[in-house]
Amino acid sequence: MRIGIVCYPTFGGSGVVATELGKELALEGHQVHFITYDLPVRFDHFISNLHYHEVRVSDYPLFDYQPYELVLASRMVDVVKHENLDLLHVHYAIPHASAAYMAREILRSQGINIPFVTTLHGTDITLVGKDASFEPVITFAINQSDAVTAVSESLKRDTYEHFDVTRNIDVIPNFIDIARYEGCSTEGVMKAFSPNGERILFHASNFRPVKRVEDVVKVFSLVRNEIPSKLLLAGDGPDRPKIEALCRELGTCKDVHFLGKLKHIEEVYSVADAFLLPSETESFGLAALEAMASHVPVISSNTGGIPEINIHGETGFLSNVGDVEDMAQNTLKLLRNDALMESMKKGAFKKAKTFSKENIIPLYEDLYRKVIEESARAIRS
Ligand code: GMT
């Protein structure tokens, strides 16, 4: 198949999932064309049938806001026509689904048929989407998509609850390349952060308020009062000043390491004793899956799609959002009991394997074939 992929090319989960999907599809022999404003973070130039088309918005002084969505739609029209695409797959409802709708209708007026699949990742629905200024466009674009997928049952429910969506939503969860997390060298990271064998707690995110990184620091502080430990924080974002201030207030700064936005995060996962994800809401929690693929138990909140991957008592522990005391107790239980740690490491890895790329990518391929066939049939009739 000849597939166009539109996504946010950033470190965010939706961009990572879209890029990893595109790479896998290209390796399967499909022709894959990324249409984005920048090279996706995990793009790989050395896969021969993976292509990149930049969306460049000219800066007209006349406009206070540059019309990115229109430029994106025009670029999609251009790529579909010249690369002879069979299908567009857009990740994130805003503004990608509405731009795809516009591109599809422009092409239809020129006698070209191009169906589009929309994948909902979470924040487009649970946070941004609920904003009244976006809602009508999102509802319309979802309903007009030729197929819609959500990354968890929880996100599917949220979408039906908050939007007047009439079309079927298929759940296709996030996936993981298990091999990427195997056999990482741990020596350097251990030497740098755990010189005296301290236990390592880990968190990775974009430090937005929804991630509740301050809870991570509070949990760590309670754990560190009992067991010598270090906290590693990967990523960066708007809450960083607040997080640093809290570390100062709690006197934990010397044991908290800010690692920034890492390209090879798997080395850090591989040394962690527990991964902390206390999010306010999380449609899936790709970072938790990455931890589990590295045999790391997850201490998380019991919200959104997280309980679909982190199974309480098997792969880690769940607590109510904001219950830092319970999260700390669960972490201590884990760190103090070697047998429990061993069984949870195994449980985490076993569950992660159910989300392997080998299990999930074919679900997208089957959906694409179905959508292409149905759309061709509709045109014929
Ligand atoms: O988590 C983020 O802040 C990034 C966000 C995004 O939109 O890229 O991630 C969302 O999509 C990921 C991939 O499907 C999911 O694993 C994350 O759970 C989801 N984030 C939230 O729902 C907060």
Side-chain angles (χ1 to χ4, degrees), residues 270-317:
S270 68
V271 299
D273 292 293
F275 184 76
L276 306 182
L277 191 67
S279 305
E280 181 79 35
T281 175
E282 197 71 60
S283 68
F284 183 89
L286 181 60
L289 179 58
E290 291 179 335
M292 288 160 59
S294 311
H295 303 253
V296 179
V298 174
I299 304 293
S300 72
S301 46
N302 183 11
T303 183
I306 300 180
E308 293 173 43
I309 49 168
N310 185 21
I311 312 302
H312 188 73
E314 252 178 60
T315 65
F317 290 105

Side-chain angles (χ1 to χ4, degrees), residues 8 10-17 92 119-124 126-127 151 155 172-174 205-208 210-211 277 279 281-287 305-306:
Y8 282 108
T10 54
F11 275 93
S14 64
V16 168
V17 168
Y92 221 82
T119 288
L120 307 174
H121 281 275
T123 39
D124 43 356
T126 50
L127 297 177
V151 297
L155 181 59
I172 303 187
N174 288 177
S205 76
N206 47 22
F207 294 15
R208 287 189 301 139
V210 69
K211 301 293 176 182
L277 191 67
S279 305
T281 175
E282 197 71 60
S283 68
F284 183 89
L286 181 60
I306 300 180

